[in-house]
Amino acid sequence: MKKHRALIPLDGSSFSAQVLPAVCRLLDPSHYHLTLVRVAPPPADLSPQPTPPRPVSVDGWMSVAEEYDSSWARELAQHPVYASQIWESVRHELADELSDELKSLKDAGFDVSLAVHFGDPAEELIRAANSDAFDLVVMATHGRSGLQRALMGSVAEKLMRRASVPVMMLRPVDKAVAAT
Amino acid sequence: MNARVLSILIPMSRESVDREALVSARKLFTPSQTILTLLRVTPRNEPEAPSAEKLENWNELMRTLAKHPDPAHHPVYGHRLWSAFKRELTVKLEPDLQALRDSSFAVSLALRYGNPAEEIVRHAEAAGSDLIVMSTHARRGVGRVLEGSVAETVLRRAPVPVIMVRQIAKERRS
């Protein structure tokens, strides 16, 4: 039988990690493949693609030179390899931070994989959830109400409104954990 | 690991919508390790069974009748009406129950009276459910305020994890 795939977003906080005991309790390791996903803001000022140079015209002449938007863009165009390496190293760093969780879930008998995405957390998670690769998303929510909820506009809520797969919501059980 | 059986609560008050939750629960969990409880909440008060002394006192009877124009609260016929009503509620879920049993899930049916969200939470507490699976409309604006409120209230108050199944997405996919 094909295993179900569950997406578990973790943002590195103990708040998000408190879903793990519940996952072990509620999901059957023999039927679930878990994907731990970390969404981080893209490394500052670095795009994975070098910016193309734009032609510059001087006083009616056709393009005589190519300029970059910044010295950094020129640097990047000349050394695209380094830029992608920085992305890779950040990716690996973030993945390493998930290694404790990875190990505890593997010990519980789950197949686990890791993924790191760069971008806005809600958007990236919705994209991942709607990619047809997952059957379930598991995440913690603060369970706020009213004005507080409107202000916080939590990732969990956006996901709940827009994900095309079922979303398992866990509320913090322990106030002390929720506060951290 | 996971040798214990999970008790999953599925509120089934709006059949067409809530059936989505049922489909998901069926897909996501293993029959041999799961007990499903279909909960039907009806927003009326639970009627009292007519007592013998009440029936003997005709004046009392008429007063009660005047106080409760709802036939379901008629001291004599009310009870009979209610049994019929209960039967009707459960009959609608019969095909679902049978389908679940056929795929070897353990299923039970529960009926509660009162505010849907509150009763769902109360039942989850009382029955010691491990999980609630609910359908939700992904609506915005006024529709969201009116319709989504049950799911949202349950999510805020439930003592256990809640799986939200969005309906529109399902329609789009199929």
Side-chain angles (χ1 to χ4, degrees):
Chain A
M1 198 184 109
K2 197 176 158 293
K3 285 194 177 187
H4 296 312
R5 298 190 64 116
L7 179 70
I8 307 177
L10 295 174
D11 61 9
S13 66
S14 57
F15 178 77
S16 66
Q18 61 185 327
V19 302
L20 299 177
V23 165
C24 294
R25 193 164 51 86
L26 296 173
L27 301 183
D28 179 2
S30 56
H31 288 92
Y32 275 90
H33 180 108
L34 309 180
T35 301
L36 304 181
V37 62
R38 173 83 190 261
V39 181
D45 291 337
L46 270 183
S47 95
Q49 300 297 326
T51 331
R54 60 189 161 78
V56 178
S57 58
V58 180
D59 293 338
W61 290 82
M62 295 294 285
S63 73
V64 292
E66 290 190 328
E67 267 299 320
Y68 287 93
D69 286 336
S70 63
S71 61
W72 179 229
R74 188 175 59 234
E75 195 79 6
L76 206 56
Q78 286 163 358
H79 309 286
V81 180
Y82 301 152
S84 65
Q85 275 175 346
I86 293 174
W87 274 63
E88 271 318 296
S89 72
V90 173
R91 195 184 292 277
H92 279 293
E93 257 170 50
L94 292 172
D96 278 349
E97 283 178 23
L98 296 177
S99 61
D100 287 348
E101 285 84 0
L102 179 81
K103 191 172 175 305
S104 72
L105 289 172
K106 276 198 171 148
D107 289 345
F110 285 102
D111 287 345
V112 196
S113 54
L114 292 180
V116 175
H117 294 296
F118 293 110
D120 175 66
E123 293 302 323
E124 289 297 318
L125 291 177
I126 289 164
R127 209 155 53 87
N130 292 358
S131 67
D132 271 355
F134 298 100
D135 304 294
L136 181 69
V137 180
V138 184
M139 73 183 301
T141 170
H142 288 280
R144 294 192 177 92
S145 63
L147 184 62
Q148 223 182 352
R149 190 187 63 198
L151 291 175
M152 302 305 275
S154 71
V155 174
E157 194 179 339
K158 282 187 195 152
L159 197 63
M160 197 173 85
R161 302 229 167 275
R162 288 171 51 197
S164 59
V165 293
V167 181
M168 191 195 287
M169 296 285 186
L170 296 111
R171 275 192 324 136
V173 206
D174 186 0
K175 284 268 167 15
V177 178
T180 53
Chain B
M1 208 61 203
N2 271 300
R4 63 187 284 254
V5 172
L6 285 184
S7 161
I8 299 180
L9 180 65
I10 308 177
M12 292 287 292
S13 297
R14 310 152 296 172
E15 287 90 3
S16 57
V17 181
D18 290 328
R19 203 154 277 140
E20 293 294 337
L22 211 58
V23 170
S24 291
R26 201 164 150 181
K27 213 179 76 187
L28 293 171
F29 294 94
T30 324
S32 58
Q33 296 172 0
T34 313
I35 298 174
L36 300 176
T37 304
L38 309 190
L39 173 65
R40 177 107 205 203
V41 181
T42 174
R44 303 170 96 160
N45 293 327
E46 185 166 20
E48 295 163 34
S51 61
E53 63 229 75
K54 239 188 205 169
L55 295 184
E56 276 168 22
N57 188 339
W58 184 250
N59 289 338
E60 177 75 16
L61 188 72
M62 294 317 283
R63 260 206 303 281
T64 319
L65 200 51
K67 260 194 277 178
H68 304 285
D70 183 352
H73 284 97
H74 188 286
V76 183
Y77 305 113
H79 196 61
R80 208 182 296 165
L81 264 173
W82 264 94
S83 331
F85 181 52
K86 272 190 193 172
R87 214 166 33 243
E88 188 195 320
L89 289 177
T90 50
V91 156
K92 278 186 187 162
L93 294 177
E94 235 5 272
D96 297 309
L97 282 174
Q98 199 49 51
L100 288 169
R101 284 194 187 112
D102 289 346
S103 43
S104 63
F105 277 100
V107 204
S108 69
L109 194 62
L111 192 58
R112 278 190 166 245
Y113 309 92
N115 175 292
E118 274 173 26
E119 292 303 322
I120 291 166
V121 172
R122 236 174 251 162
H123 191 90
E125 279 165 358
S129 309
D130 296 298
L131 190 66
I132 300 174
V133 183
M134 283 198 83
S135 308
T136 159
H137 292 285
R139 292 194 184 169
R140 287 165 192 279
V142 180
R144 171 179 151 186
V145 172
L146 295 177
E147 194 74 43
S149 62
V150 172
E152 263 168 48
T153 312
V154 170
L155 179 62
R156 276 207 308 278
R157 299 207 197 143
V160 294
V162 181
I163 293 187
M164 292 287 179
V165 182
R166 215 168 62 109
Q167 200 193 14
I168 291 168
K170 292 278 166 188
E171 281 169 2
R172 196 189 60 211
R173 279 176 112 195
S174 56

